[in-house]
Amino acid sequence: MKQWRFEVFNRAGFSDVHGNGVLEDIRELGIASIEAVQSAKVFLIEADFDSAFADRVARELLSDPVCEEYYVGRSSAPAGLARATLIEVHLKSGVTDPVAESVMTAISDMGVPGAHVRTARKYVLLGEVRPAQIETIAKRVLANDCIEDVVVGDEAEPPSPHLSPYELNITYWPIRDLDDAGLEALSKGRDLFLNLTEMKAIQAYFRRLEREPTDIELESLAQTWSEHCVHKTLRSAVELTMDGQTIHFDNLLKETVFKATQDLDKDWCISVFADNAGVVDFDEESAVCFKVETHNHPSALDPYGGAATGIGGVIRDPMGTGMGARPIANTDIFCFGEPDMPLGEVPKGVLHPRRIMKGVVAGVRDYGNRMGIPTVNGAIYFDDRYLGNPLVFCGNIGLMDKDKAFKHPQSGNLIVVVGGRTGRDGIHGATFSSGEMTHEHETVFSHAVQIGNAITEKKMLDVLLQANEAGLYEAITDCGAGGLSSAVGEMGAELGAEVDLDTVPLKYTGLSYTEIWISEAQERMVIAVKPENREAILKIFESENVDATVIGRFTNDRKLRLRYNGQQVAELDMDFLHDGVPKYSRKAVWAAPTLSEPAEAEKDNYNDELLGVLSSYNVASKEWVIRQYDHEVQGGSVVKPLVGIANDGPGDAAVIQPKPTSSRGLAISCGMNPLYGDIDPYWMALAGIDEAVRNLICVGGRVDRIALLDNFCWGNCTHPRTFGTLVRAAQACYDGAMAYGAPFISGKDSLNNEFACEDGTTIRIPPTLLISAMSIVDDVERCVTMDAKRPGNLLFVVGRTGNELGGSHYHKLRGQLGANVPKLDLELAPRIARKVAQAIADGLVASCHDCSEGGLAVALAEMAFAGGLGIEADLRGLPASKDCTRLDAQLFSESNSRYVVEVDPRHYDAFAKLMLNLPFGQIGKVTAGSKLVVRSQDGDNAIDVEIDILKQAWQRTLDW
Amino acid sequence: MAEVRALVLRAAGVNCDMETQHALELAGAKAHRVHVNRLIEDKSLLGRYHIVVFPGGFSYGDDVAAGRILANQIVHHLAEPIRRFIDDGKLVLGICNGFQVLVKMGVLPGNGAFKQEHVTITYNDSGKFEDRWVHLLPQTDRCVFIEPQRQIYLPVAHGEGKVVTADAETLERLKSEGYIAYKYVGPDGEEGPYPINPNGSVESIAGLTDSTGRVMGLMPHPERFVRRTQHPHWTRLGEDLDPDGIKIFRNAVRYAQENLLQSCSA
């Protein structure tokens, strides 16, 4: 085969968008000597065609006839005065290259099948630059060490793509004769992340079997028993010491989060905490399922790839729930360090938070948009304790037929793997994500990074939906963390399974049987198929060019047997695999920190503080991010993330209409308040639940159909104090769910979010609980948005404002925490929610906005500028607790269960009647003016600012 | 009365096919979603339809360039059936990625008047994908999908939507000979900079038609505004809010009913 090299450059006169972006990033690094950057696409093609055909490939396929020009061969540096540095970025061997796959298909369409294609990016940096700077630019801007190699200069050759084939060599990892130190050394040396107790249980098992384990057996156990897969911490027995008392839990999760679901026992819950996502009723025929996952560790190493595979992975959860759902919405919530941190202060082994944020947003954007699933709800939270461990929560909601909410794999069913091929990407992802991060992770765990290709997943989804409708399979699950090991192991847990690993389709040769089994290569799912449906299922996948391969079958002896070339490489009892993990008893301690409110003199005017809170990172507009997501694909959006007269106000929750012919809707929201956790994680968790509920209520969600999801992201919970904060939050989950009658339907935890710096210090994330929520909207035509609608309408506050500035963004402005964390009245909160929901359902409400970050002042400002109208408010009408006398507390307290409601004067009587016996008060009205004016109890103008100024402050911070 | 039959083309990465099918059915057509492989297997299949829509999405991941790989596939396997479809007087609509495919196939503005080398669609000036609503003003009287003079409001959602021409002469011909279907304008009907023109298209071009007026491609998504509640601030507007997107589909179906129902043996 002949080797061809093509380079494609932008034609003069057309802007080099990619090159300009790189130049901007280089300038952000503080390197000013680079004057320009030219980028080029490089294609390395091995194929049997002549130079005339090569010219056609370049002209018709690889380059654009108007904007680009091509060069066959290697172009040299452009002549000119400026010094030019050539840098090429190649994917490491074995890394998925979707563009290359498409180009191969296209060349085949042109008549030459069998070409081998690789792609690379070439950069020409113009200007003086030192070698050390080149290294910095390559590492920080151009390439990611985990997946890419950098080649500098025009002579150097790219890495060879060819890998040698694998020859079977069954490896044993002797365990029976090891002492404690030996067991620990084995676990550590093989990156098993199993502790001594677990290693001892495994040792005892193999002593009983009177043989040594193979590598694949230990790897399977390590994955199945990983924190990521079994959540052993949250399921452990706990002794909580608190206020001198001890509280015992046999199984923390079962006695808190699950227990609320059991006690509530809602008949609209179909399948909860059982499958890949929680399933609840949608309407007569359909159900919806919702799952939220984290992808924190991979996103720290490779923000783009980590986030992309995070969303790609969670989409497969609803796809693998029951008999498979059709994904209809994505959510994403991120936590980052503050993006203005000086480069020099970023610890070794950590990417700059701005780079992480840009990469994560781009990853979610590219994968979610390509899947054709609208990203409708999200949040971004900034705190420097997320520096070493950014948090990336990705959620997905799916729609399915109610009668397909359960799967039924049977003995004798064929095990079929469909979708992407298996490669070396993502080896040890599950175990890696269960441990602490260090400054060496970047190099040691680069193989744990997974590479996604959304189109492979989309193709697979398209066919799976058809196969589901045709009833061609009995069960489905996704290959997520733990790969085939986890998918086959779980589906066959009650049956037994045998798999011929040499039949698994591979991306390239050279994988050992163990690598095939534990690879976390993306875009794969496993289905169980009756033998009589074998031909039909293979045909339907082939008809749309999706791989589907029979790799084994489910048995009835509850054993997991793995073979390679006919030789057995593993035989484990399913019972031991799934139930053999030792149960723990952990200690947890909670002691409330000693805190006080800052002593500051009251002021008469808080214009500056309001502008400061509006422009703070957490409150500021996220429009830059939101617009990069397609939030309207599938045509179902009813309340979009951006609302108001200029389509740029902050919507409280998203509403989608999943079925085009039914006006029934689904409202989707989230709540998260890590700052409160620094005071008390119990109140933090309840605030998160209340916020998520408020958001749903504000848009017209039903109060009696709220389903909740929990995602706990914590530090190392072997520390009793860290674990104590988690136990407090879990207790709150029970109380909040019971108060609202809102069951948890699914959850996930990610522990050990700590980063060990080179200097020996540890960066520990704050306890972070994300509450995601969804509810039914009976008729989307009744939905309400938060933007002020009409001059002359009355504004009410429903809910009581307390002296609760603890953990507020007002305090954060000046680096204070405070002590008076917002509490939740478990009796009053649901009553308020019910009445506000009723007012909306009755059509009495013109707009409704929840008071959250930044308190009442921010809520009023947002309603005014989103509606392009003025607001005049008077705090004498504010329902407030007796101790809430300070002006700043009235303006900025983040007390829970408060709604600002706009009501047409004609509906005054009906609205007031409904709110009787609740804390509510008229605080002002919407005006045709251009100002937000808030008068204090004394009649002074505590706030008096043009709405344009408020809006600018809110928009400019993250207007990248 | 015989029904108007529409084909919505599926391919790897196409993702607006279901809502496009819904829009066509709402407009009165019988719409099927058909994978490109089926058209390649059975070259006569296309002839059974009156309207073909290339929907939005990321065909083949937008690898190399948006729409390029699918355009290449169609050029090498389906050029003749597509050509005949257009010559038979039938309708072709490309939306977003579908528009990119039509341009990269040379079908738009095409039809003998232009070569593929004359016009292309490339990266937004902003350098990123964006979802936002835009006002559109028709520029031609001959395109059957368009109600002349009537300004409409639709969302765009793309990263590569900037229409450019190889030279000033091509641009002049697009303008003077009525190939520009829609321009991006402000609420007042006047052209303007970003974000009025969301991607930096020359002459604010949002959509193109061909010399017959029966082929149209546009970056905005008419299938995303077929119900009142899809408007980004419908909660501020009255119940009589009339969705703009559905009209493009209704115009197509009406044209097919009036002109094509006899010509198709289905």
Side-chain angles (χ1 to χ4, degrees):
Chain A
M1 294 241 243
K2 196 162 161 34
Q3 299 268 1
W4 293 96
R5 179 187 170 95
F6 302 89
E7 296 184 1
V8 179
F9 289 90
N10 268 71
R11 209 180 276 275
F14 291 97
S15 85
D16 179 354
V17 170
H18 188 58
N20 294 344
V22 167
L23 180 63
E24 194 180 305
D25 290 343
I26 291 174
R27 297 235 161 105
E28 270 176 25
L29 286 178
I31 300 173
S33 57
I34 301 291
E35 293 155 21
V37 177
Q38 291 174 2
S39 76
K41 294 180 266 194
V42 178
F43 299 87
L44 304 168
I45 301 180
E46 279 178 54
D48 284 322
F49 50 65
D50 58 17
S51 62
F53 191 84
D55 207 55
R56 273 190 61 205
V57 167
R59 197 175 61 244
E60 295 174 19
L61 179 64
L62 302 180
S63 68
D64 186 278
V66 178
C67 313
E68 292 173 336
E69 52 199 3
Y70 61 87
Y71 190 90
V72 183
R74 187 194 290 276
S75 71
S76 45
L81 294 175
R83 198 188 130 188
T85 306
L86 271 51
I87 301 178
E88 278 186 26
V89 180
H90 293 259
L91 291 169
K92 284 189 198 294
S93 294
V95 171
T96 308
D97 185 347
V99 179
E101 288 169 24
S102 290
V103 171
M104 277 183 243
T105 310
I107 293 175
S108 168
D109 283 331
M110 293 174 74
V112 179
H116 182 268
V117 182
R118 286 181 293 151
T119 69
R121 305 190 305 278
K122 176 171 174 167
Y123 301 94
V124 183
L125 311 186
L126 297 172
E128 287 302 319
V129 62
R130 295 192 304 276
Q133 287 177 319
I134 293 174
E135 202 182 312
T136 307
I137 291 168
K139 200 177 160 72
R140 298 270 178 190
V141 177
L142 301 180
N144 187 321
D145 281 356
C146 295
I147 54 169
E148 291 166 328
D149 284 326
V150 173
V151 183
V152 181
D154 58 358
E155 296 302 321
E157 282 302 310
S160 163
H162 298 288
L163 300 159
S164 44
Y166 172 71
E167 280 175 38
L168 178 61
N169 174 22
I170 300 175
T171 308
Y172 291 88
W173 287 346
I175 192 171
R176 283 183 296 172
D177 300 331
L178 296 179
D179 59 10
D180 288 1
L183 288 171
E184 282 182 323
L186 176 62
S187 173
K188 200 170 169 56
R190 299 292 179 184
D191 294 324
L192 300 177
F193 286 93
L194 292 169
N195 64 29
L196 183 59
T197 318
E198 290 156 353
M199 288 301 284
K200 280 185 160 166
I202 294 171
Q203 185 180 49
Y205 176 73
F206 283 99
R207 279 179 179 163
R208 272 201 309 281
L209 295 184
E210 297 181 354
R211 67 175 176 89
E212 296 295 354
T214 58
D215 54 348
I216 195 170
E217 288 174 326
L218 282 189
E219 294 274 15
S220 296
L221 286 162
Q223 282 202 329
T224 311
W225 292 8
S226 69
E227 186 65 59
H228 189 96
C229 293
V230 291
H231 307 282
K232 45 203 176 192
T233 301
L234 264 74
R235 287 169 199 266
S236 60
V238 181
E239 297 285 338
L240 171 69
T241 310
M242 181 180 135
D243 302 334
Q245 289 183 311
T246 301
I247 304 171
H248 178 82
F249 300 88
D250 277 336
N251 176 323
L252 177 63
L253 213 49
K254 277 195 179 159
E255 288 164 53
T256 55
V257 179
F258 289 0
K259 184 165 190 294
T261 307
Q262 275 174 344
D263 290 355
L264 289 167
D265 194 24
K266 297 288 184 189
D267 59 3
W268 44 269
C269 287
I270 297 174
S271 163
V272 291
F273 291 105
D275 208 330
N276 288 313
V279 188
V280 298
D281 278 357
F282 177 66
D283 59 16
E284 288 295 307
E285 299 85 36
S286 307
V288 283
C289 59
F290 194 178
K291 175 64 168 281
V292 180
E293 281 265 17
T294 51
H295 224 219
N296 306 334
H297 286 39
S299 302
L301 293 182
D302 173 14
Y304 181 85
T309 52
I311 191 75
V314 82
I315 290 167
R316 290 194 301 278
D317 279 320
M319 283 170 65
T321 296
M323 292 296 277
R326 182 168 64 82
I328 54 171
N330 290 331
T331 65
D332 63 81
I333 292 88
F334 310 137
C335 300
F336 303 121
E338 295 203 344
D340 55 1
M341 168 171 276
L343 201 60
E345 290 176 22
V346 177
K348 187 183 168 189
V350 170
L351 299 173
H352 191 275
R354 192 177 162 103
R355 180 170 177 203
I356 291 182
M357 176 166 162
K358 280 187 167 182
V360 164
V361 169
V364 170
R365 172 194 71 202
D366 287 355
Y367 207 105
N369 291 353
R370 275 168 173 69
M371 283 301 291
I373 302 167
T375 299
V376 297
N377 181 257
I380 306 183
Y381 202 90
F382 297 94
D383 186 307
D384 280 341
R385 289 171 290 175
Y386 296 114
L387 190 60
N389 290 86
L391 304 184
V392 174
F393 301 87
C394 297
N396 182 266
I397 297 175
L399 183 73
M400 59 166 67
D401 292 343
K402 245 188 215 176
D403 58 3
K404 291 194 170 173
F406 296 94
K407 51 188 113 230
H408 305 285
Q410 299 130 38
S411 297
N413 284 176
L414 304 174
I415 303 171
V416 181
V417 60
V418 302
R421 296 183 161 221
T422 299
R424 228 171 235 133
D425 35 347
I427 301 265
H428 283 158
T431 46
F432 147 77
S433 67
S434 302
E436 178 197 60
M437 303 269 291
T438 74
H439 62 94
E440 287 172 346
H441 254 79
E442 210 176 348
T443 42
V444 179
F445 278 101
S446 61
H447 53 252
V449 173
Q450 305 136 14
I451 315 299
N453 180 359
I455 299 309
T456 304
E457 182 144 311
K458 175 71 168 111
K459 279 161 69 178
M460 172 172 70
L461 169 63
D462 290 349
V463 185
L464 278 172
L465 292 173
Q466 299 168 49
N468 184 5
E469 204 173 311
L472 291 176
Y473 59 81
E474 313 308 309
I476 182 166
T477 196
D478 72 308
C479 280
L484 287 172
S485 164
S486 147
V488 175
E490 277 173 32
M491 201 187 273
E494 305 298 321
L495 304 170
E498 51 187 35
V499 174
D500 287 296
L501 293 167
D502 50 297
T503 59
V504 175
L506 303 180
K507 293 178 178 177
Y508 39 83
T509 59
L511 270 72
S512 73
Y513 59 86
T514 302
E515 287 174 318
I516 293 169
W517 183 237
I518 66 171
S519 160
E520 294 179 10
Q522 296 290 297
E523 290 99 26
R524 300 175 305 161
M525 296 190 76
V526 169
I527 52 179
V529 177
K530 285 183 176 163
E532 58 264 38
N533 288 330
R534 179 191 179 115
E535 298 312 317
I537 199 110
L538 297 183
K539 186 167 171 241
I540 197 169
F541 278 93
E542 195 195 347
S543 77
E544 299 196 4
N545 316 105
V546 180
D547 279 340
T549 311
V550 177
I551 61 165
R553 63 183 192 98
F554 290 111
T555 59
N556 58 7
D557 61 1
R558 297 170 75 95
K559 298 230 186 246
L560 175 67
R561 276 195 205 83
L562 305 176
R563 292 185 292 256
Y564 190 92
N565 287 351
Q567 288 199 51
Q568 183 160 301
V569 293
E571 182 181 294
L572 289 171
D573 291 285
M574 285 289 190
D575 293 348
F576 181 67
L577 186 62
H578 292 287
D579 302 320
V581 59
K583 211 165 145 37
Y584 297 96
S585 180
R586 288 186 193 272
K587 295 229 176 303
V589 175
W590 166 251
T594 311
L595 298 165
S596 61
E597 282 292 316
E600 271 184 53
E602 250 183 291
K603 299 181 10 175
D604 296 331
N605 182 284
Y606 286 93
N607 285 354
D608 293 344
E609 287 76 7
L610 174 56
L611 290 166
V613 174
L614 281 170
S615 60
S616 66
Y617 282 119
N618 290 336
V619 176
S621 169
K622 309 298 185 294
E623 183 171 349
W624 178 83
V625 178
I626 294 166
R627 290 225 180 276
Q628 294 189 59
Y629 301 144
D630 191 339
H631 45 264
E632 299 181 272
V633 63
Q634 298 190 9
S637 70
V638 173
V639 175
K640 302 182 204 295
L642 296 166
V643 299
I645 188 147
N647 306 336
D648 59 3
D652 287 303
V655 179
I656 56 169
Q657 179 183 333
K659 298 178 171 182
T661 50
S662 155
S663 65
R664 201 173 181 81
L666 194 66
I668 302 149
S669 73
C670 63
M672 186 170 75
N673 309 79
L675 275 177
Y676 303 164
D678 293 337
I679 302 173
D680 189 336
Y682 177 83
W683 296 114
M684 170 187 82
L686 281 174
I689 292 171
D690 196 64
E691 185 184 6
V693 169
R694 290 194 311 267
N695 284 328
L696 294 177
I697 298 302
C698 284
V699 296
R702 261 170 62 171
V703 73
D704 61 336
R705 284 298 311 275
I706 296 172
L708 302 174
L709 286 80
D710 62 278
N711 283 85
F712 288 84
C713 283
W714 246 253
N716 180 350
C717 284
T718 58
H719 297 309
R721 280 180 178 278
T722 305
F723 196 32
T725 61
L726 189 149
V727 178
R728 281 288 281 167
Q731 288 178 304
C733 285
Y734 177 80
D735 293 348
M738 292 306 291
Y740 274 113
F744 282 91
I745 59 164
S746 170
K748 197 87 183 173
D749 58 273
S750 163
L751 308 182
N752 297 313
N753 286 290
E754 302 194 355
F755 188 89
C757 301
E758 199 179 22
D759 63 6
T761 58
T762 296
I763 310 176
R764 196 169 288 134
I765 66 160
T768 306
L769 174 64
L770 168 68
I771 300 292
S772 304
M774 64 174 173
S775 183
I776 299 293
V777 174
D778 282 329
D779 178 2
V780 296
E781 297 268 348
R782 290 266 158 154
C783 282
V784 166
T785 53
M786 51 69 67
D787 45 311
K789 297 293 186 305
R790 208 170 62 88
N793 279 354
L794 311 175
L795 286 175
F796 295 87
V797 171
V798 186
R800 188 184 294 115
T801 302
N803 180 27
E804 296 180 317
L805 281 171
S808 67
H809 285 77
Y810 169 75
H811 275 350
K812 188 176 195 288
L813 264 191
R814 283 149 308 146
Q816 305 276 9
L817 179 62
N820 301 339
V821 69
K823 297 195 169 144
L824 186 69
D825 184 329
L826 293 171
E827 185 274 325
L828 182 60
R831 278 204 292 136
I832 293 175
R834 273 197 291 278
K835 293 293 186 181
V836 174
Q838 185 65 51
I840 291 174
D842 291 350
L844 304 176
V845 174
S847 73
C848 184
H849 193 25
D850 94 305
C851 281
S852 54
E853 285 97 339
L856 176 67
V858 165
L860 290 171
E862 288 174 343
M863 291 175 83
F865 63 63
L869 295 168
I871 284 178
E872 282 179 15
D874 188 330
L875 294 174
R876 280 175 295 196
L878 182 73
S881 63
K882 286 205 177 68
D883 62 346
C884 185
T885 53
R886 282 180 64 108
L887 181 53
D888 52 359
Q890 292 174 357
L891 290 170
F892 298 108
S893 262
E894 297 177 9
S895 297
N896 287 305
S897 310
R898 294 180 305 158
Y899 303 78
V900 185
V901 186
E902 178 188 350
V903 177
D904 187 306
R906 286 177 300 162
H907 298 316
Y908 175 87
D909 288 343
F911 182 77
K913 197 173 156 204
L914 205 53
M915 296 301 146
L916 209 65
N917 297 326
L918 291 180
F920 90 105
Q922 186 184 333
I923 59 149
K925 60 178 193 291
V926 180
T927 72
S930 60
K931 277 183 163 187
L932 170 66
V933 179
V934 183
R935 283 191 196 86
S936 68
Q937 306 276 357
D938 304 331
D940 298 330
N941 282 1
I943 304 280
D944 181 0
V945 193
E946 292 285 333
I947 58 169
D948 287 351
I949 306 283
L950 295 168
K951 189 169 177 175
Q952 274 168 29
W954 179 70
Q955 288 186 327
R956 70 174 168 235
T957 308
L958 290 170
D959 184 14
W960 293 357
Chain B
M1 192 171 116
E3 60 189 1
V4 171
R5 293 163 61 89
L7 184 150
V8 180
L9 185 74
R10 287 175 53 226
V14 163
N15 63 29
C16 300
D17 47 319
M18 287 179 77
E19 55 268 42
T20 302
Q21 178 186 32
H22 173 69
L24 284 159
E25 299 206 323
L26 210 56
K30 180 76 196 160
H32 295 136
R33 298 181 296 123
V34 179
H35 196 276
V36 65
N37 286 359
R38 306 291 85 74
L39 291 188
I40 293 173
E41 284 163 9
D42 177 1
K43 299 273 164 63
S44 71
L45 190 56
L46 193 59
R48 293 180 216 157
Y49 293 88
H50 307 100
I51 302 170
V52 60
V53 184
F54 291 69
F58 290 82
S59 58
Y60 296 96
D62 277 1
D63 294 339
V64 186
R68 176 77 52 72
I69 305 288
L70 181 57
N72 180 78
Q73 187 177 23
I74 294 172
V75 163
H76 290 282
H77 296 289
L78 290 167
E80 209 279 323
I82 296 272
R83 187 73 268 151
R84 191 159 20 131
F85 190 86
I86 297 169
D87 290 345
D88 284 349
K90 296 177 177 179
L91 308 187
V92 179
L93 176 62
I95 302 167
C96 195
N97 192 242
F99 178 31
Q100 294 160 340
V101 171
L102 291 178
V103 168
K104 284 165 193 189
M105 284 165 64
V107 167
L108 277 177
N111 205 18
F114 295 88
K115 286 188 189 163
Q116 204 214 322
E117 295 80 36
H118 288 155
V119 181
T120 195
I121 303 179
T122 187
Y123 294 100
N124 296 354
D125 277 351
S126 66
K128 58 179 187 278
F129 181 103
E130 278 198 321
D131 177 335
R132 63 168 69 246
W133 282 64
V134 292
H135 297 276
L136 302 166
L137 191 62
Q139 302 293 311
T140 183
D141 293 340
R142 75 159 172 268
C143 182
V144 304
F145 297 92
I146 293 178
E147 189 179 325
Q149 313 298 326
R150 190 173 174 286
Q151 189 170 314
I152 61 172
Y153 192 45
L154 293 177
V156 290
H158 61 251
E160 295 180 51
K162 179 183 178 178
V163 177
V164 292
T165 59
D167 47 49
E169 188 199 335
T170 303
L171 184 59
E172 187 49 42
R173 285 189 52 213
L174 290 179
K175 275 161 62 177
S176 61
E177 297 174 21
Y179 286 94
I180 301 177
Y182 284 108
K183 277 188 177 189
Y184 300 110
V185 293
D188 57 0
E190 295 297 319
E191 286 178 56
Y194 174 89
I196 289 174
N197 176 347
N199 49 40
S201 269
V202 293
E203 285 290 321
S204 304
I205 296 173
L208 294 169
T209 187
D210 71 349
S211 60
T212 69
R214 288 181 282 101
V215 180
M216 180 172 84
L218 74 173
M219 289 312 298
H221 286 272
E223 81 284 9
R224 295 187 185 183
F225 191 24
V226 300
R227 286 191 301 277
R228 181 177 93 89
T229 54
Q230 291 168 321
H231 189 289
H233 51 265
W234 65 273
T235 56
R236 308 182 67 80
L237 305 170
E239 305 244 328
D240 53 349
L241 173 65
D242 200 9
D244 287 335
I246 189 65
K247 290 176 186 158
I248 289 178
F249 296 97
R250 283 201 198 118
N251 292 340
V253 172
R254 191 182 312 119
Y255 178 89
Q257 278 166 346
E258 290 168 2
N259 298 280
L260 298 175
L261 280 187
Q262 288 74 35
S263 73
C264 186
S265 55

